[in-house]
Amino acid sequence: MTPRIERFADQGCLVVKGPDRPGIVSAVAGAIARNGGNILQSDQFTSIDDEPIFYQRTVFHKENFTASIPDIEADLQDTLLSVGLDWRLIDRSTPKRMIVLAPKSDHCLLDLLWRQQRGELPVEIPMVISNHPDLREEVEYFGIPFHHVPSQGADKSEAEARIMELVRGKADFMVLARYMQILSESFLRRIDVPIINIHHSFLPAFVGAGPYRMAWERGVKLIGATAHYVTPELDAGPIIEQDVTRVDHTFSPADLQKHGAYVERATLSRAVQAHAEDRVFWHGNHAIVF
């Protein structure tokens, strides 16, 4: 049985994207009102391009929304296509399925599990997959299935095939909770769901492995973390969320790593929440976050 988020019962979320033109906001509001919806929140943005693109996210309430979805979608198909918009209608009471890939380190993973259990993240977690067995007990404490998929050496094809087998049809998006394995372009193409990564650095500086030592060697006074979507180019996908904390010359690389862990947890959780609430739009290599 699909779980339900009661605080979002009878709430729809309409997200639209298309070439900017007069009348879009009126068309969206009119379609919602015509179907008995009451707008609770609306955000919009028009890109700064030679050919501007319009983005809008509108949350509305409607009694018996879930049962009304087919009728509303039929209306939207006629109304919004006529003004050149792509659109999605989302039932906010249905949580997104988030599968987490994790390593030995537990700080980002356990923060996500804790927030999900408290109802702070509108997701369900079908499973956690790790390339180490160490976190099985902690994950299963939350009642979540744990799968150990070793990933050793340069050839990751066997591990990726096993992950694909576990994940297919069970995830709306995935999260790399400090999972330090590079996913192949073939895997990213075949998995066909968004993947969010937390990089323990304030990108685009200090790309790749060992950013805290690189930061220490440069004598930085701010360290940070970046949550971004995964693309074939390493640590170069659209940035969803970033944060920093101040450090000084007395900090060792280990001190930087310890303080950075706090920032990583918060940054990743905010990015996951934004994605799960359909507040993120891709615009080229930018992420527009409402």
Side-chain angles (χ1 to χ4, degrees), residues 47-84:
S47 67
I48 306 170
D49 296 312
D50 292 337
E51 298 181 1
I53 302 297
F54 176 85
Y55 300 89
Q56 185 174 3
R57 174 185 182 269
T58 305
V59 175
F60 63 95
H61 176 269
K62 174 180 166 49
E63 293 292 337
N64 300 314
F65 170 73
T66 302
S68 304
I69 288 176
D71 291 335
I72 298 174
E73 287 182 331
D75 188 338
L76 292 173
Q77 182 74 7
D78 293 336
T79 303
L80 299 185
L81 284 182
S82 68
V83 290

Side-chain angles (χ1 to χ4, degrees), residues 27-255:
V28 169
I32 292 171
R34 189 165 54 250
N35 285 279
N38 178 46
I39 293 176
L40 305 176
Q41 180 183 9
S42 185
D43 298 281
Q44 64 190 68
F45 173 75
T46 300
S47 67
I48 306 170
D49 296 312
D50 292 337
E51 298 181 1
I53 302 297
F54 176 85
Y55 300 89
Q56 185 174 3
R57 174 185 182 269
T58 305
V59 175
F60 63 95
H61 176 269
K62 174 180 166 49
E63 293 292 337
N64 300 314
F65 170 73
T66 302
S68 304
I69 288 176
D71 291 335
I72 298 174
E73 287 182 331
D75 188 338
L76 292 173
Q77 182 74 7
D78 293 336
T79 303
L80 299 185
L81 284 182
S82 68
V83 290
L85 295 175
D86 295 325
W87 59 274
R88 284 187 300 125
L89 182 64
I90 300 132
D91 186 344
R92 297 196 77 207
S93 70
T94 302
K96 287 184 170 51
R97 300 167 299 168
M98 176 183 81
I99 290 178
V100 185
L101 300 186
K104 285 183 180 180
S105 62
D106 64 0
H107 61 287
C108 285
L109 170 65
L110 294 184
D111 187 73
L112 291 174
L113 301 187
W114 180 76
R115 291 176 188 269
Q116 188 270 344
Q117 187 179 71
R118 285 174 56 87
E120 295 182 13
L121 295 177
V123 300
E124 64 167 312
I125 305 175
M127 69 186 76
V128 170
I129 302 171
S130 178
N131 56 331
H132 297 280
D134 304 54
L135 300 179
R136 179 182 297 276
E137 185 175 346
E138 287 91 335
V139 172
E140 292 180 346
Y141 172 82
F142 287 89
I144 296 171
F146 178 91
H147 298 278
H148 174 217
V149 179
S151 182
Q152 306 291 336
D155 185 0
K156 312 292 184 183
S157 58
E158 185 175 341
E160 290 189 348
R162 176 56 179 154
I163 293 171
M164 185 75 63
E165 179 184 344
L166 289 167
V167 169
R168 190 179 296 279
K170 298 175 183 174
D172 296 307
F173 71 107
M174 297 172 62
V175 174
L176 308 185
R178 289 296 307 275
Y179 185 75
M180 302 302 288
Q181 304 295 308
I182 297 175
L183 301 174
S184 70
E185 183 173 355
S186 172
F187 177 87
L188 297 177
R189 184 176 63 254
R190 288 181 293 133
I191 202 69
D192 197 31
V193 296
I195 302 176
I196 297 172
N197 183 41
I198 182 67
H199 184 70
H200 43 310
S201 173
F202 198 68
L203 290 173
F206 308 131
V207 173
Y212 287 122
R213 173 157 289 278
M214 287 188 280
W216 175 77
E217 290 171 350
R218 292 293 304 274
V220 301
K221 300 301 182 279
L222 290 172
I223 60 171
T226 302
H228 65 93
Y229 288 113
V230 176
T231 61
E233 185 179 355
L234 179 65
D235 293 333
I239 292 171
I240 308 167
E241 181 63 66
Q242 293 183 294
D243 205 351
V244 296
T245 187
R246 185 165 290 280
V247 297
D248 61 38
H249 61 279
T250 67
F251 283 62
S252 68
D255 292 330

